[in-house]
Amino acid sequence: MMADEMKNLGFARLDISRGERTGLPETIYCPGKTTEQLIGILRAFQEKGLAVLGTRCSQDQANAVCVSQLPVKYDATAHTLLLEGRRPHPLPGAVAVCTGGTADLPVAEEAARTAEYFGAQVERFYDVGVAGLHRLLNSIDSIRRDQVVIAVAGMEGALGSVIAGLVKSPVIAVPTSVGYGASFHGLAPLLSMLNSCAEGLSVVNIDNGFGAAVQACRILNLLHHHHE
Amino acid sequence: MMADEMKNLGFARLDISRGERTGLPETIYCPGKTTEQLIGILRAFQEKGLAVLGTRCSQDQANAVCVSQLPVKYDATAHTLLLEGRRPHPLPGAVAVCTGGTADLPVAEEAARTAEYFGAQVERFYDVGVAGLHRLLNSIDSIRRDQVVIAVAGMEGALGSVIAGLVKSPVIAVPTSVGYGASFHGLAPLLSMLNSCAEGLSVVNIDNGFGAAVQACRILNLLHHHHE
Amino acid sequence: MMADEMKNLGFARLDISRGERTGLPETIYCPGKTTEQLIGILRAFQEKGLAVLGTRCSQDQANAVCVSQLPVKYDATAHTLLLEGRRPHPLPGAVAVCTGGTADLPVAEEAARTAEYFGAQVERFYDVGVAGLHRLLNSIDSIRRDQVVIAVAGMEGALGSVIAGLVKSPVIAVPTSVGYGASFHGLAPLLSMLNSCAEGLSVVNIDNGFGAAVQACRILNLLHHHHE
Amino acid sequence: MMADEMKNLGFARLDISRGERTGLPETIYCPGKTTEQLIGILRAFQEKGLAVLGTRCSQDQANAVCVSQLPVKYDATAHTLLLEGRRPHPLPGAVAVCTGGTADLPVAEEAARTAEYFGAQVERFYDVGVAGLHRLLNSIDSIRRDQVVIAVAGMEGALGSVIAGLVKSPVIAVPTSVGYGASFHGLAPLLSMLNSCAEGLSVVNIDNGFGAAVQACRILNLLHHHHE
Amino acid sequence: MMADEMKNLGFARLDISRGERTGLPETIYCPGKTTEQLIGILRAFQEKGLAVLGTRCSQDQANAVCVSQLPVKYDATAHTLLLEGRRPHPLPGAVAVCTGGTADLPVAEEAARTAEYFGAQVERFYDVGVAGLHRLLNSIDSIRRDQVVIAVAGMEGALGSVIAGLVKSPVIAVPTSVGYGASFHGLAPLLSMLNSCAEGLSVVNIDNGFGAAVQACRILNLLHHHHE
Amino acid sequence: MMADEMKNLGFARLDISRGERTGLPETIYCPGKTTEQLIGILRAFQEKGLAVLGTRCSQDQANAVCVSQLPVKYDATAHTLLLEGRRPHPLPGAVAVCTGGTADLPVAEEAARTAEYFGAQVERFYDVGVAGLHRLLNSIDSIRRDQVVIAVAGMEGALGSVIAGLVKSPVIAVPTSVGYGASFHGLAPLLSMLNSCAEGLSVVNIDNGFGAAVQACRILNLLHHHHE
Amino acid sequence: MMADEMKNLGFARLDISRGERTGLPETIYCPGKTTEQLIGILRAFQEKGLAVLGTRCSQDQANAVCVSQLPVKYDATAHTLLLEGRRPHPLPGAVAVCTGGTADLPVAEEAARTAEYFGAQVERFYDVGVAGLHRLLNSIDSIRRDQVVIAVAGMEGALGSVIAGLVKSPVIAVPTSVGYGASFHGLAPLLSMLNSCAEGLSVVNIDNGFGAAVQACRILNLLHHHHE
Amino acid sequence: MMADEMKNLGFARLDISRGERTGLPETIYCPGKTTEQLIGILRAFQEKGLAVLGTRCSQDQANAVCVSQLPVKYDATAHTLLLEGRRPHPLPGAVAVCTGGTADLPVAEEAARTAEYFGAQVERFYDVGVAGLHRLLNSIDSIRRDQVVIAVAGMEGALGSVIAGLVKSPVIAVPTSVGYGASFHGLAPLLSMLNSCAEGLSVVNIDNGFGAAVQACRILNLLHHHHE
């Protein structure tokens, strides 16, 4: 029951068939991997004709991979590296990715790029933080039309609470380490989101745009299965 | 656009029409409310013919309400108080509520009772903690069939990670304050769940079974809308 | 220069003339004081014909004082005990006291009663938390007309940020210990308020309604001096 | 009601008319902005003939902007970048900015420069920490004459308490990250200031000289409105 | 070399000759001891004709001991229980025990009573907190004349810094758990005292009046030895 | 009894005979040591003909030592530097070293290399984290055959709990600082492991592969003594 | 492979055959269990003729069980409840249980009683804390003769480090919540033990005497298997 | 009364006559000071013919000062910079400076160099940590002869407790940031020292060798005054 097609590269156990098994394709967490390891993993996917997304990929890693002539695209804001290839079926519905400020963009784009790689349609609502509430209220009708909301915010992290009180959809809140002093590297928005007075909010790790995207796409995937 | 039918009782602003607006009916957070306030709120719902669920209701509050002859049922494990009345439409799909140990039951039952009140079908998988992995593996095929999983665990809180690695559905993890010493009242499982090496996990506040149920039902509600 | 009229009761050094010196009259912090000490202090003020306010006064302390036939009024929500007597001149302007939820009332009323004792006019805007934004937006025009805003909120403490983004006045934010789990007894709203993305917000200690009132009245007092 | 003149530059939503609306003009938070973004924002203000202040501007950012020939002045202690242009009306009253030690200067100057940009008169009282009390006592009569006091201190952060006990004005305390070891990057003075035994003190985030200045100027602005 | 006369009572190892060895006589830490154990220990000292001091002795423990007809005196503020008997030689010099507020009295009196039991002369300066600096300045000349200062303060704990900047003697700072909210049970004054900008300050555990007294008397004891 | 052969190099007190006394030979903690100190220590062991292991040795330190012509081998993953020489007797039994992910390798290899230096047989089971449970279950029969298990994991640190529930041997859990955000540099897996719901688990410091190896070899050493 | 004889009582899944499988018999964690549940579980073991140990059993629980006429013995210090019956084979070797002070006794006795129930021989060395080093040095030769050491200490928790530096055996350190103030309920000794400068120490949760005993007996069990 | 001779350099207020007033001469805290400021301050002392000690002086600062031809000596371990000149009278007695390990040397030498500058005689006892107790016991008789002990230790910080239990003198404990992982930058030894089970210990900030020296010399200074 638990057997699976797993390509062992010596330094890592790839999970090539994961796409079929869990509904969402494999991704590569780049930190700590050498150029050789990274290229080796990418080639393994390329041989299968599969696309794959690397996350938290540094500019240096991206540069090194580009030299290898692999068909990759690097997004310097999201820190994602996309190997072109066969992509999964599109997911039904759409994800709204919202941020409190412009400094939250890297985390938001990590979420957006990951969700797009998984086949989701993404709508971006950036710089709609609660300090200027009109910005959020101007966009709220569009946000309401999406099936899942990812709310990315640092500092006091109130964005998630305010949105969750205004929409019916599940809201996935991502605290960011944007801030200083008593932010304690994202602890403040993390606690804030966990203690939301609004309902319909669940939280992922600080700066974990990727994790929010996976959760959002697992939810969209449910719609997919119900459609078929 | 933001107007709504809200019954003002002086001490609180009820949100009677919330069921129609957000897809999930109103609930009552009981702590800090006097018997008079609680009965007053219940009567307001009763007049509308609506059911309503009170959460974190103490045995003393429940006893006091029972004297009032209101048609209520108290669940001493979940600490929920249900006023009988018109219930929402059933939600599609089902929620699996899993616990690590028996001490997590009150939180799990808060989640289960809340989800049932919202119209969800709930399957319970209790005492399937990772210290005896066979217990979880014996149940995993059933858990996989449910659309959303709520994983309730105290102590080291590993249950969420292990389940999220075994299912396709979104997993909502609820850390509990069960434990002692370096649990620091639930901080240990909270951090553990936020740092899960598994994907597809989002987290609510410590002991917040209610919040997990709302999030689960918002997700099921998406299926509902896609069905119609 | 630093000499002042100070009545020494053995167990405490009263500061009877403080009203003239600092513009705000003396108050009594009741916790830890015995009934005898409390009555002794109250009598010292009564002999001068002065009113005085006791804060954080328990029901038991209040009961014990009432037996003494001193002309006092106890507010069981604010936990304040007011000795009737000569009051300070009214302060110009008004203070808006806002709360996120009904559970924040004791802290809000401590702020309101203290400000009223200092001679301020107080407007109360309770249960206007950000989870139901329409409640706040319905009141915002009135809040804007007041000179100072005290924003009292527990849980994620977002109320201060949202209000500070909507008004011109200085906002004094009071985190409360209302909440559970990852609230860590008010740490969550405290950090949230300190990290506000909105400008014009300063913060006092958790549950410190009294401190917020003093700060608000020091501000109103500035207007007073400019008027004269 | 919530519409406002907002210039959208693609990467940020400027709030040009904010000066008229809130009484205090816009500022630019520089961290994380590219040279191009920074220059773009400055040009937008320059086109309107408005002055604007950039805060937390690094020496590198300042150098890059200077090349652009925009009429800016950089303060290397305060890390502020001022674009010359039409300034707001002067505010009534004055702000006293006090520091415990010389290492607190950058935060104090951020506060002072910001308040001056907002039109306030600023008096500086630096290196008056409580370890050598005579330094503070020598200056206290001058400090007392100002309408608002900003007390900037790291290490044990006692300056705010001592000043608040000696003046009638509202004191805004700014903890700084100056210190080491059990300072925990400013946690020690932050907690110290929040727990002040003195009344009339409210607190902003660690190192947040800017926030203290905004709060001080909102207070001075009240006097302004009462004057007219 | 390490042998000593130690009376073994089964449940504890008494150190009767400790007075001669370390210069300071034995004390008894009462918490967790049963009445029988406490009386047993006291009788062992009585048989030797020695005085002994019990610290953190509850009212219940004291009542139970009194029934035993042992010649003891209980101090309900300091929570000390003194068995009469042969006392150590007086120590040279004097200790100044200062407190910020009246709520710090139990800790201060624990320090004072312990130092007196060890043979030290104690001067008390209570309620001289920094919020009303004149109270401290009025007493500072007397405090300066003592050889060691114990500064007891809760809330923001600034008393130690201010005194250490005004005297030549070593200052031992005792943070107390007096306070609420962001005091976090004494963490705030503890960190404050450890980060003192003043020199000549060392710190003991929260509420540890006893420990401060031992340290003070070890210092006085040095003078003693130099005298002989 | 406590005398021992200790070579004093001026800057450190070597413990050459420690192998005979405690059953496990000396090691060198390299951080903070200059090249000269390091070479001096190595030569002292070389003169005795003894092997010795340096831990946490940086690449720079290793390079500098290599120039000295001492017979050393550097492991860049484990950061260990082995001086060749007389080795201790082999230990009975074997240690299983398991990791959650590939990023835990440096800590795991520190443990493995240290145990091997002490004479233990080591089996490596890497990348068997609980997010993909089948990987662990595939290896569990082999793990069960070893006498001691070292479980190295970052992020949520659940590996230790799951293994301890599946084997009879003592499990030594090593939390790693692998992770980000709410990992708080290894606090999350540390708390997780301390709160394990499984029995038979004890924990060492974050990233302390060395400490785990010492504990494992002290255990194996017991078998040794029982054999002889 | 993972099937086992598990008696399902509805409220809990007993693991009767666990003794044969893991080498150590089942125990019952009593907190949160009702009298009915507790008696039910005990009867299930009694029917099999097996002994079983309940830990953290309150005096009230013990009293209630005694009424049931089950053959149990309650230890009010260790808070253990032993049902008489067939016991496991004795384990080889012995465990030394050491404490810093008398207040650590409940945790130490939990460890000792649990180890004895598992069949281990236990030697107790109580009140040997490092403040009076001679007490420990007097016992160290006996401690050295035991195969495993359990070091139980609160306050600064130095006992583990000192012992681990003096013996060859593995030391299992148990921090206790004994202490006050900056002990933060056992955090101080926990951190102290994790950071031990001595080698050969691993740590269990605060107050977890039970967990230390399991780990010690897993180690002794290894000797057993090697003997046979 | 509070007037003093204070040379104002614009950027700092020097306290030249402090030596006469407090018994201990001025020192300079170098971090954050520019080369110009540092040289300016040194010249001010040189003009008076006074020696002065700079602490936490970086190698770069020292190099820059040396170029200025001022008669200074830099200690690269202690990070102290001594300007030659008239020194204070020697203090009576001696200070023992002890360290747990060699990595604590910089903090210990900061203490030692500062005490020597103040006129104290210093005895160094380095690398006497509790993991190898014989090293401490070999030196304890010498340590006992000194009037004050400074115990410097990182990791678990047990050195202070063990020494305080073995000597009569006051012990000043300095936690260091030496360690990793759960040391949390010195929090572990700080808490350990504050919770010492031994009496006669007081604590200064993490890595604050300077503060310990001041406290030690204030104590020695008492002897001085008693002698004369």
Side-chain angles (χ1 to χ4, degrees), chain E residues 18 21 168 199 202 226, chain H residues 18 21 168 199 202 227:
Chain E
R18 191 163 161 274
R21 210 176 68 246
K168 283 187 189 182
E199 305 166 0
S202 57
H226 268 257
Chain H
R18 192 164 161 274
R21 211 176 67 248
K168 284 187 187 183
E199 304 167 358
S202 57
H227 271 237

Side-chain angles (χ1 to χ4, degrees), chain E residues 63-131:
Chain E
N63 293 346
V65 168
C66 286
V67 171
S68 73
Q69 307 285 349
L70 282 159
V72 292
K73 272 192 248 168
Y74 182 63
D75 182 315
T77 303
H79 297 104
T80 51
L81 184 81
L82 180 66
L83 176 79
E84 289 173 12
R86 197 166 67 251
R87 299 283 288 270
H89 291 294
L91 291 165
V95 182
V97 179
C98 310
T99 71
T102 53
D104 301 316
L105 241 77
V107 177
E109 279 297 310
E110 183 184 282
R113 292 288 182 197
T114 302
E116 287 170 347
Y117 163 66
F118 286 155
Q121 189 182 336
V122 173
E123 284 194 283
R124 290 160 170 84
F125 303 90
Y126 289 174
D127 207 8
V128 295
V130 302

Side-chain angles (χ1 to χ4, degrees), chain A residues 19-22 33 75 97 116 149 163 178 194 197 216 223:
Chain A
E20 284 78 51
R21 208 176 69 247
T22 68
K33 295 206 166 56
D75 183 315
V97 178
E116 286 170 347
V149 181
I163 292 180
V178 168
L194 287 167
C197 57
L223 304 179

Side-chain angles (χ1 to χ4, degrees), chain C residues 18 21 168 199 218 226, chain D residues 18 21 168 199 227:
Chain C
R18 192 164 162 273
R21 210 176 69 247
K168 284 187 189 183
E199 304 166 0
R218 282 198 175 197
H226 268 257
Chain D
R18 192 163 160 274
R21 210 175 69 246
K168 284 188 188 184
E199 304 167 359
H227 272 237

Side-chain angles (χ1 to χ4, degrees), chain B residues 24-28 51-57 72-84 87-88 91 95-99 104-126 150 152 174 207-217 220:
Chain B
L24 297 176
E26 177 84 339
T27 53
I28 306 166
V52 74
L53 185 81
T55 60
R56 309 243 163 160
C57 182
V72 292
K73 271 192 245 167
Y74 182 63
D75 182 316
T77 303
H79 297 104
T80 52
L81 184 81
L82 180 67
L83 176 78
E84 289 173 12
R87 300 283 289 273
L91 290 165
V95 182
V97 178
C98 310
T99 72
D104 302 314
L105 240 80
V107 177
E109 279 297 311
E110 183 185 280
R113 292 288 182 196
T114 302
E116 287 170 347
Y117 162 66
F118 286 156
Q121 188 181 336
V122 172
E123 285 194 282
R124 287 159 172 86
F125 302 90
Y126 288 173
I150 294 177
V152 181
V174 192
D207 291 336
N208 191 5
F210 170 76
V214 174
Q215 185 72 314
C217 292
L220 294 185

Side-chain angles (χ1 to χ4, degrees), chain A residues 18 21-22 147 164 167-171 194-195 199-200 202-203 205 210 214-215 218-219 222-223 226-227, chain B residues 18 21-22 147 164 167-171 194-195 199-200 202-203 205 210 215 218-219 222-223 226-227:
Chain A
R18 193 164 159 274
R21 208 176 69 247
T22 68
Q147 276 66 35
V167 305
K168 284 187 187 183
S169 338
V171 177
L194 287 167
N195 285 282
E199 305 167 358
S202 56
V203 184
N205 196 2
F210 170 76
V214 174
Q215 185 71 316
R218 282 198 175 197
I219 294 171
L222 290 173
L223 304 179
H226 268 256
H227 271 238
Chain B
R18 191 163 161 276
R21 209 176 69 247
T22 68
Q147 277 65 37
V167 306
K168 283 188 188 183
S169 338
V171 176
L194 286 166
N195 285 282
E199 305 166 0
S202 57
V203 185
N205 196 2
F210 170 76
Q215 185 72 314
R218 281 197 175 197
I219 293 171
L222 289 173
L223 306 178
H226 268 257
H227 270 237

Side-chain angles (χ1 to χ4, degrees), chain F residues 5-227:
Chain F
E5 186 188 342
M6 218 167 62
K7 177 154 184 160
N8 198 322
L9 293 177
F11 52 85
R13 311 182 181 210
L14 295 190
D15 197 1
I16 299 286
S17 66
R18 193 164 161 272
E20 284 77 53
R21 210 176 68 248
T22 67
L24 298 177
E26 178 84 341
T27 54
I28 306 167
Y29 183 70
C30 298
K33 294 207 167 54
T34 64
T35 307
E36 292 67 38
Q37 291 174 335
L38 207 47
I39 291 174
I41 295 171
L42 291 168
R43 284 207 201 287
F45 280 90
Q46 196 192 23
E47 285 166 20
K48 291 271 182 182
L50 293 167
V52 75
L53 187 80
T55 60
R56 310 243 164 161
C57 182
S58 70
Q59 184 72 57
D60 283 356
Q61 287 177 311
N63 292 345
V65 168
C66 286
V67 170
S68 73
Q69 306 285 349
L70 282 159
V72 293
K73 272 192 247 167
Y74 183 62
D75 183 316
T77 302
H79 297 104
T80 51
L81 184 81
L82 180 67
L83 175 80
E84 290 173 12
R86 198 167 63 249
R87 299 283 290 273
H89 290 294
L91 291 165
V95 182
V97 178
C98 310
T99 72
T102 54
D104 301 316
L105 241 78
V107 178
E109 279 297 310
E110 183 184 281
R113 291 288 181 195
T114 302
E116 287 170 347
Y117 164 66
F118 286 153
Q121 189 182 335
V122 172
E123 285 195 282
R124 289 159 171 86
F125 302 89
Y126 289 173
D127 207 9
V128 295
V130 302
L133 207 55
H134 51 290
R135 300 177 301 183
L136 177 60
L137 296 179
N138 288 343
S139 303
I140 197 68
D141 286 339
S142 306
I143 296 172
R144 273 188 183 122
R145 277 190 291 270
D146 293 324
Q147 276 66 35
V148 187
V149 180
I150 294 178
V152 181
M155 305 187 89
E156 94 280 61
L159 185 65
S161 289
V162 173
I163 292 180
L166 295 170
V167 306
K168 284 187 187 183
S169 338
V171 177
I172 301 164
V174 191
T176 72
S177 54
V178 169
Y180 60 90
S183 157
F184 296 121
H185 310 290
L187 179 63
L190 171 63
L191 293 184
S192 179
M193 286 164 169
L194 286 166
N195 285 282
S196 174
C197 56
E199 304 166 0
L201 197 77
S202 57
V203 185
V204 296
N205 196 2
I206 297 162
D207 291 336
N208 191 6
F210 170 76
V214 174
Q215 185 72 317
C217 292
R218 282 198 175 197
I219 293 171
L220 293 186
N221 212 11
L222 290 173
L223 305 178
H224 196 58
H225 285 244
H226 268 257
H227 271 239

